[in-house]
Amino acid sequence: MPQNTLHTISTMKANGDKISMLTSYDSTFTHRINEAGVDMILVGDSLGMVLQGLDSTLPVNITDMIYHTRCVKASNSQCLIMSDMPFMTYRTPEEAMTNAAALMQAGAQIVKLEGGLWLKDTVAKLFEQGIPVCAHLGLTPQAINKLGGYRVQGRTPEEAQTMIDEAVALEAAGASMILLECVPSAVGKAVTEAVSVPVIGIGAGPDTDAQVLVLHDMLGITPGKKIRFVKNFMEQENTIQDALQAYAQEVASQDFPAPEHCFE
Ligand code: KIV
């Protein structure tokens, strides 16, 4: 199977096929995720919490992201690779260009930035220079101190409308994908209907085009309380490989996410 591209993923959306994505930060898991038939990998800055034991993603730096993007690229065969731009590495379009270029050279096919309308010029500049962008809306963990906690976003009609308007404006600026984290299912649906690019959801209901989970969460090995939108696939499978495969299949068949993983 050839490596998935933006075109492959857009075609899946156009055909109504649901798209699966998992985080990965290393070569061995990347190999396994490819074998399981998952469509996309996110080299997420969640690696700060998952690998480095930090209490937020804020201290993650571009060197970390370049290193882990290289590790993933080394054994990737089929998945589209998206890499996160860490906190404060895209304050201006120029700074974003330098840092995004380094991630693309390490093996990313698209970079993800957290934020709303203020990112319009940056998205346009990166797109113009051949760097596709995924805009991350809803719960944006890099803004955790401003948000005041890991909470569902877009609960009021005004907040929901702002999110829809931001998604539309960022698509118009050149964003190739939107990622929505922790929003009511109705908002996930409304944003997905408002844009033509693929929308990836995590805790955003069943109607987004794609689903993403943090690998260690869906394998049930993350310490602490289980988050509502996470399903532990090791509860029903005997091996890691079977759990990864079950995830890809349940996203494709729309059995995941179930109502118990969604917010009203
Ligand atoms: O860093 C990450 O893993 C993410 C997901 C939670 C979407 O951004």
Side-chain angles (χ1 to χ4, degrees):
M1 290 275 277
Q3 186 174 7
N4 287 332
T5 61
L6 278 185
H7 180 69
T8 325
I9 301 302
S10 300
T11 305
M12 286 182 76
K13 175 183 166 104
N15 292 340
D17 297 332
K18 293 289 179 180
I19 303 155
S20 54
M21 182 183 220
L22 284 174
T23 64
S24 186
Y25 320 104
D26 69 25
S27 165
T28 303
F29 271 117
T30 296
H31 184 74
R32 293 286 166 207
I33 289 169
N34 273 269
E35 293 261 305
V38 172
D39 303 303
M40 302 194 283
I41 282 177
L42 171 64
V43 188
D45 60 356
S46 52
L47 66 85
M49 288 144 114
V50 174
L51 302 185
Q52 301 174 337
L54 303 168
D55 64 359
S56 79
T57 58
L58 271 63
V60 175
N61 60 45
I62 193 70
T63 310
D64 297 332
M65 295 309 303
I66 293 168
Y67 172 79
H68 288 284
T69 299
R70 278 207 192 108
C71 294
V72 166
K73 171 68 178 167
S75 63
N76 186 64
S77 50
Q78 197 177 310
C79 298
L80 178 138
I81 301 175
M82 178 185 294
S83 293
D84 266 342
M85 304 269 295
F87 182 59
M88 291 294 152
T89 61
Y90 47 97
R91 289 172 295 188
T92 63
E94 292 68 31
E95 187 181 35
M97 192 89 76
T98 305
N99 289 314
L103 290 176
M104 300 298 280
Q105 288 176 325
Q109 292 160 280
I110 176 167
V111 296
K112 176 161 76 63
L113 276 61
E114 297 183 10
L117 283 186
W118 68 273
L119 283 175
K120 262 173 51 188
D121 290 349
T122 300
V123 169
K125 264 271 174 307
L126 292 175
F127 184 67
E128 193 179 272
Q129 297 284 328
I131 301 180
V133 175
C134 174
H136 183 154
L137 299 171
L139 174 57
T140 47
Q142 291 174 14
I144 197 63
N145 292 303
K146 181 175 155 194
L147 297 176
Y150 295 93
R151 305 203 176 86
V152 180
Q153 303 294 307
R155 280 224 192 261
T156 67
E158 295 75 27
E159 282 171 6
Q161 191 56 52
T162 301
M163 219 178 285
I164 295 166
D165 294 344
E166 285 176 335
V168 169
L170 289 165
E171 177 183 22
S176 301
M177 291 191 199
I178 304 288
L179 187 142
L180 283 182
E181 180 166 353
C182 234
V183 299
S185 299
V187 176
K189 185 169 192 281
V191 171
T192 306
E193 287 172 354
V195 298
S196 60
V197 294
V199 177
I200 307 164
I202 176 163
D207 297 304
T208 56
D209 304 299
Q211 298 291 332
V212 62
L213 283 179
V214 169
L215 174 67
H216 296 58
D217 290 349
M218 58 78 71
L219 293 178
I221 54 174
T222 303
K225 201 171 137 238
K226 189 189 95 58
I227 310 165
R228 181 180 174 92
F229 57 71
V230 172
K231 174 172 174 180
N232 175 359
F233 283 81
M234 285 303 283
E235 276 174 357
Q236 65 186 53
E237 306 295 335
N238 290 323
T239 67
I240 288 176
Q241 195 59 43
D242 287 348
L244 297 173
Q245 217 163 307
Y247 171 72
Q249 281 163 0
E250 288 191 24
V251 170
S253 64
Q254 302 186 43
D255 289 314
F256 177 80
E260 68 263 28
H261 307 119
C262 301
F263 300 105
E264 285 188 7

